[in-house]
Amino acid sequence: MSTTEPTTSPAAGDRRTNTPVLQTVDVAVHFGGVKAVDGVSLSMDEGRIYGIIGPNGSGKSTLLGALTRLTPLTRGEILFDGEPFQEVPASQIAARRIARTFQTVRLLPDLSVRENIQLGADASKATGTLGWWTRNLGTAGSAAVDSAIERTNLGGFDDWRPAEMSYGTQRRVEIARALALDPRLLLLDEPVAGMNQRERGEISTLLKDLRNEGLTMLLVEHDVQMMVDTCDYVFAMNMGRLIAEGRPTDVVRDPQVQQAYLGKRFKHA
Ligand SMILES: Nc1ncnc2c1ncn2[C@@H]1O[C@H](COP(=O)(O)OP(=O)(O)O)[C@@H](O)[C@H]1O
Ligand SMILES: [Mg+2]
């Protein structure tokens, strides 16, 4: 059923079996007494946009970290292409064409926009899922870099330094760096935070275009309207657990989901 070959081809046109791209079984991440993620089982098929919603502190970012092996599991299992993911060396994650962005900007300030994006392109060296980038500026993947720059509307910013750009534009550079890997699984943690409405619309359109080309995505985002407009399927978390999943419009109307958000709002009021 599963194949032992590493995935080297881009996702486009590479529709495979019914094996989910990513699957978790009872995944938990505890930090001492804090049960940040506590028994999450989910499954993601190829070529769809999945979303995770939930109030602050519900475990969304920790789950992304667990899915990319940044954060060790307390218990549970992750399967990538049907294979136990814990057995894939961390240095091989990029070679499997898994890319991610972080909730906070992690660009190298002394490199240009193009150089920052270039860092994401070399699958043999990229360590982006772990949150750091080797200073490897080979020529590998320059077509992918050009494409990533074009798709994120960063043409003309090539020589800029991150500090010269607005926060929203820096976030677009982060997305471009992840795209430079030509990923087949892309995880995005609050990609449109700090962006205006027009930029949000552009990112939503970009993600849907990528989905239509076969890319599988998992998106964490606070902007519920963006999630409804963008995702094919949504998981809702509260206190480390999944409390609902399904079509975005159904999930946001779910009484338990509404209660989770309301409870949080009352707490902070
Ligand atoms: N490295 C860590 N050490 C201790 N507690 C953590 C750590 N990372 C996250 N947490 C806690 O885990 C919970 C979930 O956090 P997080 O995954 O960041 O939530 P979200 O992304 O949904 O806002 C929070 O209570 C947070 O304080
Ligand atoms: Mg978070």
Side-chain angles (χ1 to χ4, degrees):
M1 186 180 80
S2 63
T3 165
T4 52
E5 279 173 43
T7 302
T8 51
S9 55
D14 184 28
R15 301 252 167 203
R16 8 175 99 216
T17 61
N18 292 328
T19 309
V21 174
L22 195 67
Q23 215 179 343
T24 74
V25 184
D26 192 32
V27 159
V29 179
H30 298 174
F31 300 108
V34 178
K35 296 178 176 180
V37 175
D38 196 30
V40 169
S41 298
L42 55 78
S43 181
M44 293 169 47
D45 292 329
E46 183 155 33
R48 306 190 78 199
I49 305 176
Y50 293 85
I52 307 177
I53 60 169
N56 271 332
S58 56
K60 306 180 299 292
S61 292
T62 305
L63 181 60
L64 282 203
L67 291 178
T68 48
R69 307 227 6 252
L70 177 64
T71 311
L73 305 188
T74 304
R75 67 165 196 272
E77 199 185 354
I78 300 170
L79 300 170
F80 179 69
D81 277 341
E83 292 175 39
F85 192 45
Q86 302 309 109
E87 288 163 24
V88 177
S91 59
Q92 287 295 305
I93 294 178
R96 304 289 174 116
R97 301 210 175 267
I98 299 173
R100 72 163 290 181
T101 67
F102 287 83
Q103 194 170 333
T104 48
V105 168
R106 297 184 182 205
L107 299 172
L108 299 187
D110 57 322
L111 297 187
S112 69
V113 164
R114 171 168 280 274
E115 287 167 339
N116 267 287
I117 295 169
Q118 180 93 40
L119 295 181
D122 190 333
S124 67
K125 301 244 171 48
T127 47
T129 51
L130 303 177
W132 54 278
W133 283 262
T134 44
R135 287 176 175 268
N136 165 57
L137 289 174
T139 52
S142 62
V145 173
D146 289 340
S147 163
I149 288 174
E150 191 198 318
R151 301 198 76 159
T152 50
N153 284 333
L154 287 167
F157 286 103
D158 276 41
D159 299 329
W160 290 46
R161 305 280 150 189
E164 297 169 332
M165 313 171 83
S166 73
Y167 186 70
T169 308
Q170 292 180 37
R171 302 301 308 269
R172 274 193 283 143
V173 178
E174 296 245 317
I175 295 170
R177 181 173 54 191
L179 290 179
L181 185 65
D182 200 2
R184 65 178 292 257
L185 175 64
L186 174 61
L187 304 102
L188 302 137
D189 199 349
E190 302 199 19
V192 300
M195 291 189 189
N196 63 34
Q197 211 54 42
R198 180 183 52 77
E199 290 173 310
R200 285 170 189 242
E202 285 172 7
I203 295 298
S204 180
T205 302
L206 168 64
L207 300 184
K208 286 184 276 191
D209 287 347
L210 293 166
R211 183 265 321 272
N212 293 341
E213 292 162 25
L215 181 61
T216 312
M217 280 162 277
L218 180 60
L219 175 61
V220 168
E221 187 47 65
H222 270 297
D223 182 339
V224 171
Q225 190 55 49
M226 158 111 185
M227 293 300 254
V228 169
D229 293 342
T230 311
C231 296
D232 300 305
Y233 195 92
V234 166
F235 301 101
M237 288 186 78
N238 191 31
M239 299 195 290
R241 296 179 162 271
L242 286 188
I243 56 168
E245 65 178 277
R247 287 195 319 188
T249 45
D250 296 337
V251 171
V252 299
R253 281 199 215 103
D254 184 288
Q256 263 191 285
V257 174
Q258 300 239 331
Q259 182 62 38
Y261 276 103
L262 281 174
K264 219 60 180 184
R265 208 172 294 150
F266 287 142
K267 238 188 205 164
H268 291 301

